[in-house]
């Protein structure tokens, strides 16, 4: 039996609607498998700004630090979009990731057989795709020195891309461990033909793989080539590890493969402490409050939480199988119904809960 405190951060827009379904499914898993899950709800994002002027209130950060894992909906919306505002909802999320040292962003890209015709790519390319991306999240060009100076051709700007050996080692290790539990293949993506920082990345990754994971099939691919391979032969990839900016771009490209944003979860992990789990979509303010949002990405984020933070692999697979079963049964929310009959957020949650309960 596992006891865990799961912190729920519903956030803004559709966040509360979808996190509630994620909670119900985790609750059903606890009941069926005899685990004790305690849920604690805290504020983040726009709602927290409205109430106390801080997108990450101290009590929210404290609850997250004390929790076993965190399930987040989404933050943001038009109400808080003013670019000149002193505080913005996204700052809450960025601060949380920084405070908890969540340096690895995991994004599974899996194509569900029933939905691949919604993909912009051909069925034969997409069907069977199962990739797990590891994007470094707290280093690289987004965190390097940047500024402006006067150049000979007018004003110039620079952004520095820096990676230290330890930063590369820890993300490559995490990715390699994940590959061990999957098809045993790891692809490291860099730009070592041009960038010195990528040459260090390649050298360190190679050493970690040779010394610590000789049983894994390891390859390196240049980022420009990867952009092509990802849409021409995505089935060839198992686990992919890369730096912050390359990962940012490639995971967005990858998210188009399955053809439905409403099904993709993500996780942000550190070396220890609670992980943060969320859908990759935003707060969908255009449909908030209507009870029609697709809760499946959040429910699948819950499955990732079970696997990566609570080490409950069979339970994670149970949730994933429940979602696949519901989709195989032809059940759809409006975003994936292609104009056909659609279910409410809660009705979709009911079906997954029932499938988990057995
Ligand atoms: P979005 O992902 O919220 O919405 C894009 C489109 O997809 C919309 O038409 C929306 O209705 C639809 N959609 C998204 N999720 C859905 C779901 N679960 N079910 C059904 N339809 C869904 O992206 P956006 O409109 O660019 O951003 C809206 C707000 O969300 C912005 O304030 C943005 O900053 C914020 N945002 C937050 C996060 C986060 O919290 N991690 C991520 C991205 C965007």
């Amino acid at each position: 039996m596992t006891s865990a405190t799961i912190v729920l951060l519903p956030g803004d827009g559709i966040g509360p609607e979808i996190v509630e379904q994620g909670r119900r499914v985790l609750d059903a898993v606890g009941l069926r498998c005899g685990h004790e899950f305690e849920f604690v709800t805290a504020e983040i994002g726009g709602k927290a700004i409205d109430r106390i002027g801080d997108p990450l209130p101290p009590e929210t950060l404290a609850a997250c630090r004390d929790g076993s894992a965190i399930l987040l909906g989404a933050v943001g919306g038009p109400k808080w979009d003013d670019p000149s505002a002193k505080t913005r909802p996204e700052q809450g999320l960025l601060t949380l990731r920084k405070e908890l040292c969540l340096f690895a962003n995991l994004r599974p890209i899996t194509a569900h057989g029933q939905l691949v015709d919604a993909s912009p790519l051909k069925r034969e390319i997409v069907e069977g795709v199962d990739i797990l991306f590891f994007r470094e999240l707290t280093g690289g060009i987004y965190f390097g020195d940047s500024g402006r100076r006067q150049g000979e051709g007018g004003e110039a700007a620079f952004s520095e891309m820096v990676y230290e050996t330890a930063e590369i080692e820890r993300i490559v290790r995490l990715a390699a461990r994940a590959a061990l539990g999957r098809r045993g293949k790891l692809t490291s993506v860099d730009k070592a033909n041009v960038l010195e920082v990528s040459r260090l990345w390649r050298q360190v990754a190679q050493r970690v793989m040779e010394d610590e994971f000789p049983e894994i099939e390891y390859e390196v691919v240049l980022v420009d080539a990867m952009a092509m391979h990802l849409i021409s032969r995505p089935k060839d990839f198992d686990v992919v590890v890369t730096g912050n900016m390359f990962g940012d771009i490639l995971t967005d490209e990858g998210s188009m493969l399955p053809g439905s944003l409403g099904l993709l979860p993500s996780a942000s992990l550190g070396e220890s402490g609670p992980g943060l789990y969320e859908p990759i979509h935003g707060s969908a303010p255009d449909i908030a409050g209507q009870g029609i949002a697709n809760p499946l990405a959040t429910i699948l984020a819950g499955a990732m939480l079970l696997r990566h933070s609570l080490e409950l692999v069979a339970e994670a697979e149970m949730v994933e199988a429940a979602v696949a079963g519901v989709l195989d049964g032809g059940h759809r929310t409006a975003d994936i119904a292609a104009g056909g009959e659609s279910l409410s957020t809660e009705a979709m949650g009911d079906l997954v809960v029932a499938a988990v309960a057995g």
Side-chain angles (χ1 to χ4, degrees), residues 190-209:
D190 63 37
K191 187 68 184 166
N193 55 340
V194 177
L195 300 175
E196 191 55 36
V197 60
S198 276
R199 285 192 272 275
L200 179 70
W201 180 285
R202 189 174 283 204
Q203 189 187 324
V204 172
Q206 183 84 32
R207 174 174 49 73
V208 170
M209 295 311 294

Side-chain angles (χ1 to χ4, degrees), residues 14 18 72-78 81 90 93 97 261-262 278-287 292-295 335:
I14 59 170
I18 53 179
L72 171 90
V75 295
D81 262 355
E90 297 76 18
L93 199 47
R97 286 185 182 141
L261 214 60
E278 57 186 307
I280 69 160
H281 60 71
S283 61
D286 52 335
I287 58 165
I292 58 168
N294 185 346
D335 56 313

